[in-house]
Each structure stands twice: as C-alpha cells, then as structure tokens.
Amino acid sequence: MDLVAEWFRQLYDTTGINLTIVYDAYDRQRFISGVGMTIYLSVVSILISIVIGAIGAWAQGSPLRAVRAAVNGFVVVFRNTPPLVQIFFFYFGLGQILPRVENEDGMMVQIISNVQWAIISLSLFAGAYNVEIFRSGIEAVPRTTTEAAEALGYTRMGVYRHVLLPLALRICLPALNNNLVNLLKTTTLAYAIAVPEALYVSKQIWNDSQNVPVMMTVLLLLYTGLVGILVFIMHRWERALAIPGYGQGAAK
C-alpha cells in the first residue's frame, strides 16, 4: 500500500493529478466512509420504497374510498414536488417542531437525525412512484387470473400476496429498475442537510486539497459503477423471476 501511495504522490508532482484519497490516509478514510453512507442510504431507501409501493398498490384497490383517497393523495404530493423540497420540509420543517433529546455531549439535538430524515424522505419519494409502478403491473394481470384465485377460496389479501403481486412484479420490473436507479442517484440530495455521503465528503476533500476536477471525475466514475452494479442485480433478478407470458418471459 505504501508503494501505491508513493506512486500517486509522484503522479501528483509530475502531472498535477491529485488523488489524495489514495495516498492520504485521512482523505481515504473520509471517502470510504462517504461511499459507505451512499450505499447505506441507497439500500435502505430502496427496500423501504419497494415495501411502500407494494402496500400502496394493494391499498389502491381497497373497497374503502377514504383509503383509496389517502393513497392517491400521498402519490400526488410526493410525485408532484421536488425531492429536495421534501428533504427540506422534513428536516427543517417537521424536524423543528418535534421534541429534542440530549446527546452524549449534553447538546440538545433533533430526535430524528439528518440521516434518518434523508432515508424517510427518499423512501417516500421513490415509494410514491413505486405505488404507480406496482399498480400498472397489477392492472396488466388478466382479470380471469384473479377470478380463478377467488374461486379457489383466496381472500383479497391472499389473492394479492400469492397471485397478483408475484405476477405484477414480473411485469413491472423494468419500470421498477429505472425508478430504483433514479433513487440511487437522488441520494446525493442528502448533501443538502449535511449527510456525510459521497458528494458531501468529496466536497470536503476538494476544499482541503484544491483538486475539484479530480474528485468530480472520481464521483462520476463512482456513481457510474454503483448504478451499473444495481442494474446488473436487477437484470439478474428479472431473469430469475421470468416465467412464460409475464414480464421478460413474455418475449420468449
């Protein structure tokens, strides 16, 4: 590792390419921590948003008008407002009126941290889109399939869990994939409330080292790689779930 660090120091001296995240232990640790936070935000938000989408799509078919109206209202609010505004609303709006607690340093802080607010906001934002994505998949399942399940004695929840949702998921996976990719990229907005994700720590590094072009190139490559990994996973999942007549299996 020392040889690698020394090579990058010489690279900086000879070419001006200043990759402090390689040869400086402090910057390297900061950057690794930021990448870890980005991955954490992405994974947790993706999982929660998928759950929100599945539950919301089921609730849209509720016989209760109030439930359907609540879900539709949720979708309209979170789909029609910018995600940055939503993050500010939760952190600076709701966060200011919630009770405060004393931390280990004796300071009064918000009961919900900036990281938690970022996860909540990103999950609800992506979840609103996922509700519509799952709904489109459910509507693409033939009505006769639902009727057959009901004839076998399945309850409304049983039909959804065992018949509709598995088939709808196969149909809507391409659209879901696109939304989850967008969610991963949207995690950069957590920078605005000082969540130490990749963009936030990169800005700290380039402020200290004056290597803006280098760090922006690193960030570009980082997110290209992260999105590529997510797309690869989603495509593998799509192929694993493929059955004749639904989703990817429909084309075979």
Side-chain angles (χ1 to χ4, degrees), residues 46-205:
I46 283 171
L47 294 177
I48 295 175
S49 71
I50 290 174
V51 173
I52 291 173
I55 294 175
W58 175 77
Q60 279 188 324
S62 171
L64 300 176
R65 180 179 300 177
V67 173
R68 297 196 305 271
V71 175
N72 291 335
F74 161 75
V75 170
V76 167
V77 169
F78 283 92
R79 200 172 60 172
N80 293 0
T81 52
L84 182 59
V85 173
Q86 295 169 19
I87 290 175
F88 281 168
F89 168 76
F90 282 112
Y91 185 70
F92 294 111
L94 289 183
Q96 298 303 315
I97 63 177
L98 292 178
R100 293 178 174 266
V101 295
E102 187 175 327
N103 65 10
E104 60 273 11
D105 298 322
M107 299 179 61
M108 300 302 293
V109 297
Q110 293 186 13
I111 193 171
I112 300 178
S113 70
N114 57 344
V115 174
Q116 293 168 333
W117 276 128
I119 290 173
I120 291 170
S121 179
L122 292 170
S123 299
L124 292 174
F125 170 69
Y129 283 91
N130 287 346
V131 169
E132 291 298 288
I133 289 171
F134 277 105
R135 180 187 62 79
S136 66
I138 290 170
E139 291 181 349
V141 176
R143 176 61 187 167
T144 52
T145 304
T146 304
E147 292 172 349
E150 292 171 345
L152 292 173
Y154 279 95
T155 62
R156 178 173 172 269
M157 175 60 77
V159 171
Y160 186 72
R161 284 181 54 199
H162 300 293
V163 180
L164 278 180
L165 185 58
L167 294 177
L169 181 61
R170 288 165 168 83
I171 295 169
C172 69
L173 262 180
L176 183 64
N177 183 10
N178 289 336
N179 192 42
L180 298 185
V181 166
N182 185 58
L183 174 58
L184 190 157
K185 294 183 290 185
T186 307
T187 58
T188 55
L189 295 180
Y191 164 96
I193 55 174
V195 173
E197 43 76 55
L199 177 59
Y200 186 86
V201 298
S202 294
K203 183 178 184 298
Q204 292 180 323
I205 292 170

